[in-house]
Amino acid sequence: MPDRLAPFRWLAAPATDNVRNPLGDIFSVSFFQGVEPADVAARFEPSGTAVRSMTVDELGDEVAEFVEETDGGDGGGYVGITRIGDWSVAIEPCGRHTALGENLARLAEGCEAVAVGRHDYAEHGFLYAVDGEIVTAFTPHAPVNRWGSDPDRLKEPMRRVGLPLTATTGKAAWDTRWDDALPKAFALAAMITGVTLTPNSFDGPLLVASITEWAQV
């Protein structure tokens, strides 16, 4: 049987795997419907003074320098934005600020937004927001525990990508749920946005903004 999650497994690949993953093992990806990259950048950095164009490798270097200078206490410090279809896609290497509820709600004013966060040393996250309000949010390995203004809004697409809506028990069930959690979260994001990310999605120029002024630890 074909692996329906195959297009999304690179997003959960360990650093030791022979899989290209320019985002690493801690990152957030957020999607903003109908908002231009420059407008998304302005939501992160209203003054516009720190907005620059970079490659994904240059962004990685900026993030690495920031993490070294701050000892990683406030994430990666920067977000890179590109346009894919009708959505602007923002990546935050080494950080998860865009996958926090209060932050995504603020960024999603006047639009529809989705955020997925990977954190191998804490927990992953999925959030769906509309017009400044978190509608549905959950941790992908425990999607039965949902919150937001309408926690059941995404029940049907969640079911279609295999995210369990009822509790499962036993070690085998837990291991499978954890291993597949992040790919399923990105599959759900793809169902909502129509955007299936690939390792090459960020090869073009990225509009990079600082998030050190507003992001919360």
Side-chain angles (χ1 to χ4, degrees):
M1 178 181 296
D3 181 4
R4 294 183 301 170
L5 298 176
F8 309 99
R9 292 201 182 278
W10 70 271
L11 290 149
T16 55
D17 278 8
N18 188 26
V19 176
R20 184 189 177 209
N21 176 3
L23 302 180
D25 54 12
I26 301 175
F27 63 82
S28 294
V29 179
S30 46
F31 306 76
F32 302 90
Q33 198 273 336
V35 184
E36 293 295 332
D39 294 330
V40 174
R43 298 183 184 207
F44 285 101
E45 177 50 70
S47 71
T49 56
V51 176
R52 294 166 287 166
S53 178
M54 296 184 187
T55 66
V56 69
D57 290 337
E58 289 170 339
L59 172 59
D61 291 342
E62 289 282 329
V63 167
E65 182 177 346
F66 178 85
V67 169
E68 183 176 358
E69 290 176 350
T70 63
D71 197 27
D74 195 26
Y78 296 91
V79 63
I81 308 154
T82 190
R83 180 70 178 260
I84 303 178
D86 194 36
W87 296 72
S88 284
V89 182
I91 58 172
E92 185 192 346
C94 291
R96 56 175 181 160
H97 296 117
T98 49
L100 297 177
E102 291 183 4
N103 291 339
L104 185 67
R106 176 170 22 178
L107 292 165
E109 288 287 348
C111 72
E112 182 180 11
V114 178
V116 184
R118 174 181 175 179
H119 199 308
D120 283 9
Y121 317 107
E123 61 182 18
H124 310 321
F126 179 96
L127 299 98
Y128 172 66
V130 178
D131 197 17
E133 181 177 63
I134 302 300
V135 177
T136 303
F138 54 88
T139 56
H141 65 276
V144 66
N145 300 316
R146 299 181 295 281
W147 59 275
S149 63
D150 187 358
D152 290 338
R153 175 81 66 88
L154 302 177
K155 282 182 69 173
E156 183 53 35
M158 288 174 68
R159 186 179 292 111
R160 290 174 62 185
V161 301
L163 284 164
L165 301 174
T166 57
T168 55
T169 59
K171 185 178 186 303
W174 170 262
D175 290 346
T176 299
R177 192 165 72 226
W178 177 262
D179 291 344
D180 289 348
L182 201 64
K184 287 178 178 178
F186 276 102
L188 179 60
M191 287 194 67
I192 297 169
T193 66
V195 177
T196 298
L197 297 176
T198 73
N200 301 321
S201 291
F202 310 107
D203 284 352
L206 299 173
L207 203 57
V208 173
S210 168
I211 60 174
T212 57
E213 293 299 319
W214 66 269
Q216 302 174 24
V217 177

